Amino acid sequence: MNINISDESCPLRKTLEIIGGKWTMLIIFQINERTIRYGELKRCIVGISEKMLISQLKFLCDKGFVHKKSFAEIPPKVEYTLTDMGKELLPLINQIIQFGINHKF
Amino acid sequence: MNINISDESCPLRKTLEIIGGKWTMLIIFQINERTIRYGELKRCIVGISEKMLISQLKFLCDKGFVHKKSFAEIPPKVEYTLTDMGKELLPLINQIIQFGINHKF
């Protein structure tokens, strides 16, 4: 297959922009099949800063991998779920984790 | 599963270091099942600099994904192949490319 990663529409490049980041993949993996509130998600992802989590969630929502639902409550309540496209990444992420478990490198 | 990506031994983090990079994945994909000479590999990967290709190949050799064979000839001849572990990444890379082909984002 001819892959030109310098081309913005390259399918490998596009997908790497989503799954190649340290945090995006982990956020998708932690949301997984559940509906999760912002605070709980933050607690699940050790070491992520508030600023990074918010910006990565916005990126994933904009790209259509994560759905955000805000409730008009005080204090504000925000919930995240994966979209169908986001859920399709889960088997891929599981394989990536499995590869890391199975191999020493 | 509990994943702590701040931990250096985290299987997701480890594997992302290999496949998360823009170039590493593409280099592995281009070598694929063949034995390829340095010059040919360079031509296959549009946009990569000499310095980047050499450093990424060294990284992949050090990690055990790529095997380098040097011939004592003039001009020097260097060939690259994937190790068994490197080849195990190919189905994963194919799925990642397929995901990018199948989805608009």
Side-chain angles (χ1 to χ4, degrees), chain A residues 2-10 13, chain B residues 26 30 44 46-47:
Chain A
N2 242 337
I3 291 278
N4 179 355
I5 209 159
S6 303
D7 178 353
E8 274 185 29
S9 67
C10 164
R13 174 172 169 165
Chain B
L26 194 58
Q30 289 295 4
C44 289
V46 180

Side-chain angles (χ1 to χ4, degrees), chain B residues 1-104:
Chain B
M1 201 191 305
N2 242 337
I3 291 279
N4 179 356
I5 210 159
S6 303
D7 178 352
E8 273 184 29
S9 68
C10 165
L12 181 57
R13 174 172 169 166
K14 269 172 53 189
T15 315
L16 280 182
E17 278 176 6
I18 306 300
I19 66 165
K22 177 179 170 184
W23 297 116
T24 43
M25 187 91 112
L26 194 58
I27 292 168
I28 290 171
F29 178 74
Q30 289 295 4
I31 299 177
N32 225 291
E33 300 283 354
R34 57 186 169 167
T35 298
I36 191 166
R37 290 186 62 169
Y38 175 80
E40 196 187 345
L41 186 57
K42 173 114 178 48
R43 277 191 296 278
C44 289
I45 303 176
V46 180
I48 197 166
S49 71
E50 195 99 16
K51 193 178 161 189
M52 178 61 81
L53 180 55
I54 288 168
S55 78
Q56 297 293 285
L57 279 167
K58 187 179 179 319
F59 173 76
L60 289 170
C61 288
D62 289 349
K63 289 283 186 184
F65 289 88
V66 170
H67 177 73
K68 174 183 179 176
K69 191 171 179 188
S70 304
F71 297 82
E73 293 178 7
I74 293 170
K77 180 176 159 189
V78 183
E79 285 180 350
Y80 294 92
T81 47
L82 294 185
T83 61
D84 289 343
M85 186 166 72
K87 283 182 187 159
E88 277 189 54
L89 280 175
L90 292 174
L92 206 56
I93 297 178
N94 282 323
Q95 282 180 67
I96 289 170
I97 294 172
Q98 209 50 53
F99 188 92
I101 291 172
N102 292 346
H103 294 88
K104 289 202 182 305

Side-chain angles (χ1 to χ4, degrees), chain A residues 5-70:
Chain A
I5 209 159
S6 303
D7 178 353
E8 274 185 29
S9 67
C10 164
L12 181 57
R13 174 172 169 165
K14 269 172 54 188
T15 315
L16 279 183
E17 279 176 5
I18 306 299
I19 66 165
K22 177 178 170 185
W23 297 116
T24 43
M25 188 91 113
L26 194 58
I27 291 168
I28 290 171
F29 177 74
Q30 289 294 4
I31 300 178
N32 226 291
E33 300 283 353
R34 57 186 169 167
T35 298
I36 191 167
R37 290 185 63 168
Y38 175 81
E40 196 187 345
L41 186 57
K42 175 116 178 47
R43 276 191 296 278
C44 290
I45 304 176
V46 180
I48 197 166
S49 71
E50 193 101 16
K51 194 178 160 189
M52 178 61 82
L53 180 55
I54 288 169
S55 78
Q56 297 292 286
L57 280 168
K58 187 178 178 318
F59 172 75
L60 289 170
C61 287
D62 289 349
K63 290 283 186 184
F65 290 87
V66 170
H67 176 73
K68 175 182 178 176
K69 191 171 177 187
S70 303

